[in-house]
Amino acid sequence: MFEALKNELNLDDVPFIIGGLGDYLGKIGFGFNCTEYDLVNKELLRYANDHNHVYFVTAQGLSANPDGIHLNAVSQRKFGVRYYYAYKKNVITPLKNEEKLLESCINIPYTQNEMKYLAMMDLTMGKCSYEEFITKMKNL
């Protein structure tokens, strides 16, 4: 698939960055049955190592949303920093100075869409009533 895309678009020298699957998979929520993530990550890393201009970014140590599949907001920011550094080389372990790089990103206020999502998660997980949910949504 990667080769077909690069060939079709004539993108031989364009960097292609592959993000790994999170090691939180197979543990909670909808991701509970996703236990093959490690095998997939090994194949993605192998592919990156075997091809020019292809880089792998680990999701090791990142955290999921309550759904157990998707990254939470903080982890998305960390993943973004790892992607940035992947232009230089594969990122197969978390970055040593990752927390320092993220200091200005992690403690920013939630966006309105993030607050809506969190309110919906509270409702679906029984952490608030429908009436409380409606009040939260009106206040956003």
Side-chain angles (χ1 to χ4, degrees), residues 80-140:
V81 169
R82 293 177 187 181
Y83 264 73
Y84 172 79
Y85 279 91
Y87 278 104
K88 297 178 182 178
K89 61 179 182 172
N90 290 326
V91 179
I92 57 173
T93 60
L95 301 170
K96 291 179 183 175
N97 60 342
E98 200 166 69
E99 294 303 319
K100 184 177 179 184
L101 293 168
L102 292 168
E103 194 172 307
S104 62
C105 298
I106 293 175
N107 295 319
I108 62 173
Y110 288 118
T111 66
Q112 187 175 19
N113 284 339
E114 288 171 329
M115 290 188 290
K116 287 178 182 179
Y117 176 79
L118 291 172
M120 288 190 305
M121 288 305 298
D122 284 348
L123 176 66
T124 59
M125 298 189 72
K127 295 181 180 178
C128 73
S129 68
Y130 180 73
E131 292 76 20
E132 292 170 319
F133 170 73
I134 294 298
T135 301
K136 287 180 184 181
M137 295 303 279
K138 286 181 182 178
N139 291 330
L140 295 178

